[in-house]
Amino acid sequence: MKRNENREGIKGMANPGRYGIERVSYWLMRITGLGLLAYLIGHIYETSSILNGKSVWDSMLQLTQTTQGHIILTLVIGMCVFHTANGIRLMFAHGGFGVGKPTRPDYPYIPNSQNMKNKLCIYASIGVAALAMMYGLSVLFGE
Amino acid sequence: MRESIIMKIHYGTALGAVVLVAVHVLFRITMMSYGDSLQYENVIANYKFVPYAIMLELILVLLSVHGFNGLRVILIELKQGRSYEKAVTYGCLAAMAILIAYGSRTILMTSMGMT
Amino acid sequence: MAEEQSPTEASSKTVTLRIAKSNPEHDSASQFAEFKVPYERWTTVLDAILDVKKHMDHSVAVRYSCRQASCGSCGMKINGRPGLACFTKISELNSDVVTVEPMNNYPIVRDLVVDLEGMFSTHKKMKPFIINEESEVTANTKEFLQTPEQVEEYIQFSNCIKCGLCNSACPTMATDSSFLGPQALTQAYRYVADNRDKGKNERLKIIDESHGIWRCHFAGSCSQVCPKGVDPAMGIQMLRGYLLGFKK
Ligand code: SF4
């Protein structure tokens, strides 16, 4: 009989609480990645309408130039900026940069890898994404 | 393929895409107003500008590889098993190839004036 | 012999201790048993559980040994986060209810006791020993000398007590049963970073597979729960630096 491994499961993996902002960024990275992939597929489908002439392109354009379309695009801008900014931080970290230096552990054992630099970068990524979304809103709705 | 090679491709495609997508977006907002840049004639002109078409093709390849490898990573972390993982890997590869082929067809035909 | 003082008389504060009880041999459902337990500022969660065992329900299964965060036996989920019961004070949880459950990502033996065998086997897979042909002690060999700086490179990671908390907090471990896990990967780094060791390439090969080091996404939960300051997240990223070519 296969033993129940008592895995925390998707609920535990996707729960961004309990472990601070680093776990939130892990969660956001996943969600934004999936969202961007969905958008990429949609975007390629949408732009391919150009092959069917001006009228089809114009009607597709009309379909996306709605309030919902603009809101979706604004979300995409935010996801894209966060995924990029956080991705760059992660690439550095994965190479061993900015994760602190090994030291002799001492009580209360604050881990060096969970340092202020990384936390600030995560907050900055969220902040820049929010700014980009505001800019996007102004361009999209300000026409 | 060794996982480290796949992941190096993952990082490389990410870096390439960041630069090119930035140019792609700037094309939409710097040349003329965002709305005008999406007009049929202007978009067609964009496609016919060969360096831009090549850039679009590159973005398509880079993002498809990055995106579907990301999806593969998420899926193999969710569930394990030989046949499942094989299906995920080949499924993602196939989806990637289809998306690239479909997007390339648009880029190629439009840039050659076959609209 | 001095008569034992009733704990309830000695303390004015009480906490509700909820203990997850289950026995997979009979059925897999877990039920919570609730106990009102007196506590002081210094009372640990393990003290409270042992109090329950002694005075209220001796059937509660719990594994412990040193009571001072050295043996790594009493890892469990305390109010939803993995921690050592002997290293977590009730007073610092700031809650009237303390819920203890077995750690996730390990099979349950009974109640709060989990089977750590899976972690031990991935640990062994990392070849947790110095690989060096000259390490055999013979009549002519001397011990390897290291500078304090060389020791600093790995000493932090050698503090691991194999409690398994990191594997329980890891988001990849939550769904990936083939993942090597932060404990094992950090131990791989502990030996790779040791200048006496010559087994780097062997170990890098072991961790460079589809459920190896690349399944770590630097969420850092492992480091946040590690009771010994090992900082597995740091070790893993440093180790990945070798595979990415940033370190030689
Ligand atoms: S790294 Fe820390 S949390 Fe993980 S097993 Fe070792 S001591 Fe426990």
Side-chain angles (χ1 to χ4, degrees):
Chain A
M1 198 185 82
K2 202 173 175 311
R3 281 173 89 187
N4 178 2
E5 291 185 356
N6 192 26
R7 299 256 158 214
E8 213 177 1
I10 297 179
K11 245 168 72 197
M13 179 268 276
N15 177 358
R18 296 180 295 166
Y19 299 108
I21 190 72
E22 290 84 357
R23 184 78 170 241
V24 176
S25 97
Y26 160 85
W27 180 80
L28 281 175
M29 199 68 181
R30 294 236 136 159
I31 296 285
T32 55
L34 288 173
L36 288 169
L37 179 61
Y39 174 73
L40 175 71
I41 297 169
H43 185 59
I44 290 170
Y45 174 72
E46 155 202 36
T47 50
S48 290
S49 67
I50 200 149
L51 287 175
N52 302 323
K54 183 168 164 50
S55 59
V56 182
W57 173 265
D58 283 345
S59 57
M60 182 61 93
L61 202 60
Q62 236 167 32
L63 210 71
T64 53
Q65 305 284 59
T66 54
T67 309
Q68 287 106 306
H70 286 346
I71 289 172
I72 290 177
L73 201 57
T74 309
L75 278 175
V76 170
I77 296 172
M79 293 197 290
C80 182
V81 172
F82 175 80
H83 200 85
T84 305
N86 193 48
I88 293 171
R89 171 187 76 90
L90 282 178
M91 271 191 242
F92 277 110
H94 286 187
F97 301 105
V99 293
K101 258 174 81 89
T103 42
R104 280 175 197 265
D106 210 350
Y107 189 81
Y109 301 131
I110 310 280
N112 272 351
S113 69
Q114 312 294 291
N115 54 34
M116 229 32 207
K117 250 187 295 177
N118 272 294
K119 288 187 204 296
L120 283 177
C121 282
I122 298 169
Y123 285 121
S125 307
I126 297 173
V128 176
L131 284 178
M133 281 168 80
M134 282 198 261
Y135 176 72
L137 279 177
S138 76
V139 170
L140 290 167
F141 286 103
E143 288 165 22
Chain B
M1 212 189 284
R2 283 214 87 78
E3 195 69 13
S4 55
I5 299 177
I6 301 176
M7 294 313 282
K8 277 178 195 165
I9 295 173
H10 195 69
Y11 298 135
T13 49
L15 287 174
V18 167
V19 178
L20 296 182
V21 169
V23 178
H24 177 57
V25 173
L26 286 178
F27 249 74
R28 296 268 77 75
I29 50 179
T30 55
M31 312 291 258
M32 50 191 90
S33 83
Y34 172 73
D36 288 346
S37 82
L38 289 176
Q39 288 313 307
Y40 183 73
E41 295 75 21
N42 295 330
V43 178
I44 291 277
N46 272 172
Y47 275 106
K48 290 201 166 150
F49 179 45
V50 177
Y52 187 80
I54 294 175
M55 189 189 78
L56 282 186
E57 181 66 32
L58 276 174
I59 293 179
L60 172 68
V61 174
L62 293 175
L63 286 184
S64 305
V65 171
H66 186 84
F68 281 106
N69 184 50
L71 183 66
R72 177 193 70 98
V73 166
I74 293 178
L75 291 177
I76 62 165
E77 283 178 14
L78 281 187
K79 208 170 114 83
Q80 294 74 44
R82 260 183 99 81
S83 46
Y84 168 78
E85 288 179 35
K86 244 190 175 148
V88 165
T89 306
Y90 289 114
C92 284
L93 270 174
M96 185 194 301
I98 292 170
L99 193 66
I100 293 176
Y102 184 67
S104 303
R105 171 177 155 267
T106 308
I107 297 171
L108 208 73
M109 286 172 72
T110 317
S111 61
M112 291 195 325
M114 293 161 73
T115 47
Chain C
M1 208 165 73
E3 208 170 288
E4 200 176 324
Q5 192 182 25
S6 155
T8 330
E9 281 166 31
S11 174
S12 53
K13 288 178 287 188
T14 57
V15 69
T16 304
L17 185 65
R18 295 176 72 234
I19 302 181
K21 298 198 73 185
S22 66
N23 188 349
E25 267 181 28
H26 295 149
D27 95 81
S28 59
S30 112
Q31 276 172 345
F32 283 98
E34 287 192 12
F35 306 93
K36 281 242 174 292
V37 188
Y39 74 99
E40 299 289 350
R41 195 160 48 83
W42 52 83
T43 306
T44 65
V45 173
L46 181 63
D47 290 336
I49 296 169
L50 294 179
D51 198 5
V52 167
K53 252 181 105 64
K54 195 168 180 187
H55 301 286
M56 293 168 236
D57 179 358
H58 66 267
S59 75
V60 173
V62 58
R63 180 170 52 211
Y64 68 101
S65 177
C66 73
R67 303 184 190 216
Q68 51 173 3
S70 292
C71 70
S73 302
C74 63
M76 59 187 72
K77 211 157 85 177
I78 304 167
N79 281 358
R81 248 177 92 113
L84 288 182
C86 72
F87 198 53
T88 310
K89 285 196 283 266
I90 302 248
S91 55
E92 69 191 12
L93 291 170
N94 293 324
S95 168
D96 295 333
V97 181
V98 173
T99 305
V100 287
E101 294 161 88
M103 274 194 287
N104 281 114
N105 310 339
Y106 300 98
I108 300 173
V109 176
R110 193 157 71 82
D111 299 350
L112 303 171
V113 183
V114 295
D115 183 355
L116 297 173
E117 195 43 52
M119 178 184 69
F120 296 143
S121 76
T122 47
H123 174 73
K124 283 182 201 148
K125 222 171 144 183
M126 296 302 113
K127 301 181 185 280
F129 41 82
I130 300 277
I131 300 176
N132 188 334
E133 279 179 10
E134 288 156 34
S135 64
E136 280 309 310
V137 182
T138 62
N140 317 323
T141 49
K142 284 197 292 192
E143 71 269 40
F144 294 106
L145 293 179
Q146 285 187 304
T147 65
E149 291 74 31
Q150 285 167 335
V151 175
E152 292 289 314
E153 288 294 319
Y154 67 84
I155 194 78
Q156 167 171 7
F157 309 105
S158 65
N159 271 16
C160 175
I161 53 172
K162 285 109 205 144
C163 61
L165 297 181
C166 50
N167 285 6
S168 172
C170 172
T172 304
M173 279 300 226
T175 52
D176 189 342
S177 53
S178 310
F179 180 43
L180 293 172
Q183 191 280 332
L185 290 168
T186 310
Q187 289 317 294
Y189 181 68
R190 180 254 171 268
Y191 288 95
V192 167
D194 191 325
N195 71 315
R196 297 167 296 181
D197 183 79
K198 299 277 179 275
K200 184 181 88 194
N201 293 340
E202 270 175 62
R203 294 198 188 87
L204 292 186
K205 220 167 165 180
I206 299 168
I207 59 165
D208 186 10
E209 44 126 335
S210 65
H211 291 280
I213 191 164
W214 305 100
R215 300 289 76 82
C216 162
H217 305 286
F218 193 39
S221 313
C222 50
S223 296
Q224 289 175 24
V225 300
C226 177
K228 301 304 284 183
V230 172
D231 203 347
M234 182 205 279
I236 299 171
Q237 312 321 312
M238 302 268 218
L239 186 59
R240 185 155 29 195
Y242 286 97
L243 286 167
L244 287 173
F246 293 119
K247 280 181 165 187
K248 283 277 162 284

